[in-house]
Amino acid sequence: MNNLSSINPLKPLDAETLVASASNAALLGEVLCTGLNVNGFNWIASPAATELEQIVTNWMGKMLDLPQEFLFSGNGGGVLHGTSCEGMLCTLAAARDKALDVLGPEGITKLVVYASDQTHFSLQKAAKLVGIPPSNFRALPTSLSKAFALSPNDVRVAIEADLGEGLVPLYLCATIGTTASCAVDSLEGLGLVANYFGVWLHIDAAYAGSACICPEYRHFLDGVERADSISMNLHKWLLMNLDCCCLWLRRPKILVESLSTKPEVLRNKASEQDYVVDYKDWQMSLSRRFRAIKLWIVIRRYGSSNLMNHIRSDIELAKYF
């Protein structure tokens, strides 16, 4: 531990940035990911990489007991990003374009994003990147008395106030385990509000969502069926190394319509006839890493039972600190 002082000379005893959730299996997966150097931006570039990603995101979705509509077998689907921050950016872009199809491009100045004062700050950055005016970002206050959870009633009041000003509520981010306080928002309550007002509900489960693979903690995801998207960083707690985030969508077609590009150089029959998934249209960049091989190896090596035991062991250890 003495060598940790070289990491942050201003805080020599601070080891919080040393993520200890990796594993030998994840290391092997990273070696294969880097060594194989697959760039599966569309199906025809690498059918194996694309289809393995569909398989492992479905596996993870089933571990979380996500509703069928978030899985490929239920017309939803998942994609592997680097972090949950990317998932926020992509889903915000999808929600924005869906709204602007109705409002017209000039309507972007009316769109409003809602979150709590505990929500990860990357959401504000994502809102800026998609063109939401900073004045239209609502970081609603939370309190210790409610365990820093976002109040559905506060969201409803804020939305009604914005509607009264002629603004258009666009996007609400709920969190399972905020960075600063590990607050858990009520998905059921926020989902009812979001659905009533036609607002895109995204669940940022980056930090604590992994615990929900255990049946005794699955209740924290109650209400997920009301969401449009959910993201979870596997490298936070599921024996994965950086970087690996699962993003699931109930209606991936909206995301694809927002992010898809069809240059002549990438045209092929399989893509044009909608037979396959082209993951370039599920993310911001074209190139992408073969993260699926890492996740496949970790799941095959440990299995869901051992991953659950890992979560339970950490929670037990936390009681001693």
Side-chain angles (χ1 to χ4, degrees):
M1 294 295 287
N2 292 334
N3 292 330
L4 290 179
S5 59
S6 64
I7 295 174
N8 188 346
L10 299 180
K11 301 171 70 178
L13 298 180
D14 187 356
E16 64 179 331
T17 56
L18 295 179
V19 181
S21 61
S23 63
N24 291 337
L27 173 60
L28 175 58
E30 184 66 36
V31 170
L32 288 173
C33 174
T34 303
L36 292 173
N37 202 30
V38 175
N39 187 6
F41 49 82
N42 63 3
W43 179 87
I44 204 165
S46 181
T50 299
E51 294 182 20
L52 185 60
E53 188 158 335
Q54 292 178 259
I55 289 170
V56 295
T57 53
N58 261 9
W59 283 357
M60 280 308 310
K62 290 177 180 178
M63 281 191 215
L64 290 168
D65 194 23
L66 293 182
Q68 189 73 12
E69 55 263 34
F70 282 96
L71 309 180
F72 283 103
S73 52
N75 296 320
V79 58
L80 296 178
H81 285 171
T83 71
S84 192
C85 306
E86 295 174 49
M88 290 179 181
L89 177 60
C90 291
T91 53
L92 251 176
R96 174 204 61 191
D97 290 349
K98 181 174 179 288
L100 294 184
D101 284 343
V102 177
L103 299 174
E106 66 282 354
I108 195 166
T109 60
K110 296 182 178 181
L111 302 179
V112 186
V113 174
Y114 303 86
S116 82
D117 57 5
Q118 301 295 308
T119 303
H120 198 275
F121 51 82
S122 60
L123 180 62
Q124 294 189 44
K125 181 186 290 187
K128 288 181 180 180
L129 287 171
V130 302
I132 306 297
S135 59
N136 286 10
F137 187 92
R138 307 285 183 261
L140 302 177
T142 59
S143 64
L144 177 60
S145 63
K146 295 183 179 178
F148 297 107
L150 180 58
S151 165
N153 186 61
D154 288 351
V155 175
R156 178 183 293 276
V157 170
I159 289 177
E160 289 175 344
D162 286 331
L163 287 172
E165 295 293 326
L167 299 174
V168 180
L170 174 71
Y171 188 99
L172 169 62
C173 183
T175 306
I176 304 297
T178 60
T179 302
S181 56
C182 202
V184 177
D185 295 331
S186 168
L187 303 187
E188 184 67 36
L190 294 175
L192 288 170
V193 174
N195 293 170
Y196 180 81
F197 290 103
V199 172
W200 183 294
L201 176 61
H202 176 71
I203 301 170
D204 176 19
Y207 179 25
S210 299
C212 297
I213 68 172
C214 301
E216 63 268 33
Y217 302 117
R218 173 56 178 77
H219 65 276
F220 290 117
L221 281 181
D222 288 351
V224 65
E225 67 278 0
R226 300 185 183 279
D228 296 278
S229 53
I230 174 173
S231 56
M232 184 177 77
N233 284 351
L234 306 182
H235 57 251
K236 290 280 174 64
W237 207 357
L238 279 180
L239 297 178
M240 286 289 294
N241 60 320
L242 283 165
D243 52 8
C244 190
C245 166
C246 274
L247 168 68
W248 293 273
L249 298 111
R250 188 154 51 89
R251 294 170 293 173
K253 184 179 179 181
I254 299 175
L255 181 73
V256 171
E257 289 176 348
S258 175
L259 303 181
S260 66
T261 54
K262 298 180 181 179
E264 181 67 26
V265 69
L266 296 181
R267 290 186 61 184
N268 63 86
K269 285 186 178 180
S271 296
E272 291 176 355
Q273 296 177 10
D274 292 329
Y275 288 160
V276 296
V277 169
D278 286 339
Y279 274 125
K280 70 178 180 61
D281 298 330
W282 294 53
Q283 62 179 32
M284 298 306 298
S285 63
L286 173 64
S287 300
R288 61 197 326 270
R289 305 182 71 229
F290 190 12
R291 297 184 182 95
I293 191 69
K294 296 197 299 182
L295 181 53
W296 183 82
I297 289 176
V298 167
I299 294 175
R300 294 285 292 176
R301 170 65 181 84
Y302 298 109
S304 59
S305 294
N306 283 322
L307 290 173
M308 285 189 279
N309 290 337
H310 167 69
I311 296 289
R312 290 168 178 144
S313 174
D314 283 358
I315 292 174
E316 284 299 311
L317 287 172
K319 297 176 182 178
Y320 294 95
F321 293 93

